[in-house]
Amino acid sequence: KVDHFDAALYHDYLYELGYQPGLTIQDLFDKDYIERHEAMYNERMARWEQSTLEASRKEEEDYRKAAKGLSWIDREDNGYFIMIPKTITDFQAEGNLQHNCVYKLKYYNRVISQESIIVFLRQEKDKPYVTIEFDYNTFEVLQALGKYNRNLTPELYRYIVDLGKQLYYEMHTQQ
């Protein structure tokens, strides 16, 4: 039971009422607005969490399908390991270790929508070295950056450009 009026909480209660169908005048003047606010808020947050979880699962499923279609890119070449990330978690690990935005800006969605292809270049199999973004159709280098978004040596950048040309050739001769 309310024995005082909390204007800020009442404001939040009115906000929550905006999400409720069939709003009535009685709802606006509910004496038990504090308890009702909490119940409505918790219900709305539970729905939001469920929809977010479902969207994340779909995103992961969509990315895994896209990555599987690009698995032909995985290889060892010229002393490097060239890898397509297999999961969205791989993007997260790469972003954390390389201190870049490949996960935060959801570059995996660019792969799902076939805008670009993200490739991890390694000198050692489990140690990030360069994060590369190729154009999905042309394999032109859109970005190729080392740890902390550092630029590459001209020789390494030339290798990545040539790798893109090789992948483009392979993509068009596999069909």
Side-chain angles (χ1 to χ4, degrees):
K1 188 163 176 152
V2 177
D3 57 355
H4 68 284
F5 181 73
D6 183 330
L9 189 57
Y10 184 70
H11 174 269
D12 291 346
Y13 168 69
L14 293 176
Y15 179 83
E16 289 303 323
L17 280 177
Y19 286 95
Q20 303 299 314
L23 181 63
T24 68
I25 293 292
Q26 279 183 309
D27 292 327
L28 293 175
F29 298 104
D30 189 343
K31 290 185 294 189
D32 298 322
Y33 71 90
I34 293 174
E35 293 82 11
R36 191 157 176 224
H37 165 264
E38 187 175 332
M40 288 187 301
Y41 175 80
N42 290 339
E43 182 182 317
R44 183 168 61 87
M45 287 296 103
R47 284 193 312 268
W48 178 81
E49 287 172 6
Q50 181 62 33
S51 68
T52 300
L53 184 59
E54 289 169 9
S56 294
R57 284 184 188 136
K58 174 147 180 31
E59 214 170 41
E60 181 67 41
E61 180 183 320
D62 290 348
Y63 179 76
R64 284 178 188 252
K65 278 187 210 171
K68 188 175 183 182
L70 297 170
S71 63
W72 60 271
I73 294 172
D74 289 344
R75 65 190 67 202
E76 286 184 53
D77 180 67
N78 206 28
Y80 295 111
F81 297 94
I82 300 155
M83 303 162 46
I84 293 292
K86 305 297 180 255
T87 67
I88 291 174
T89 303
D90 292 343
F91 279 80
Q92 187 174 24
E94 180 85 356
N96 289 340
L97 294 169
Q98 289 288 82
H99 300 276
N100 67 29
C101 61
V102 74
Y103 174 72
K104 289 178 187 170
L105 294 182
K106 299 184 174 187
Y107 276 73
Y108 48 86
N109 281 326
R110 294 181 187 191
V111 178
I112 293 168
S113 64
Q114 297 184 347
E115 293 172 50
S116 61
I117 297 170
I118 303 301
V119 175
F120 298 161
L121 183 73
R122 308 278 196 251
Q123 286 181 310
E124 300 171 39
K125 198 164 196 153
D126 295 325
K127 187 175 178 191
Y129 183 53
V130 178
T131 309
I132 305 166
E133 180 184 16
F134 288 112
D135 178 273
Y136 196 92
N137 296 307
T138 65
F139 276 93
E140 289 180 37
V141 178
L142 300 177
Q143 298 183 72
L145 298 165
K147 194 170 193 171
Y148 295 104
N149 290 327
R150 290 190 180 115
N151 289 323
L152 309 178
T153 64
E155 296 80 22
L156 182 55
Y157 189 79
R158 170 59 36 210
Y159 169 76
I160 292 169
V161 168
D162 290 344
L163 173 65
K165 290 176 183 178
Q166 176 63 31
L167 295 173
Y168 177 82
Y169 174 78
E170 288 176 24
M171 180 176 70
H172 285 73
T173 57
Q174 286 179 354
Q175 298 175 5

